[in-house]
Amino acid sequence: MSASMKALKAKLSEQDYELIEELSNLNDVLISILSASDYISGYKAGALTIIEIIDGI
């Protein structure tokens, strides 16, 4: 647990802290989804580049 999360836990009610934890978890999920999407986009761009190169030969 980071120092900032410890500080929040000390200052917030249990219910508010649980909401912050849930928000943090959802943010992690969003980052994972965006990373996967970027990977797929890069893969597609690379595949299209290879196809253009091979088509030009």
Side-chain angles (χ1 to χ4, degrees), residues 4-52:
S4 57
M5 290 299 281
K6 287 180 184 178
L8 282 173
K9 190 170 187 173
K11 292 181 180 184
L12 297 175
S13 69
E14 185 66 29
Q15 183 180 13
D16 288 342
Y17 183 75
E18 287 175 5
L19 289 173
I20 294 293
E21 280 186 318
E22 183 178 353
L23 179 62
S24 177
N25 292 339
L26 290 173
N27 188 51
D28 292 343
V29 170
L30 177 61
I31 290 170
S32 296
I33 291 169
L34 291 174
S35 294
S37 176
D38 288 344
Y39 176 82
I40 291 168
S41 295
Y43 189 88
K44 286 179 180 179
L48 288 173
T49 302
I50 291 170
I51 289 170
E52 287 180 10

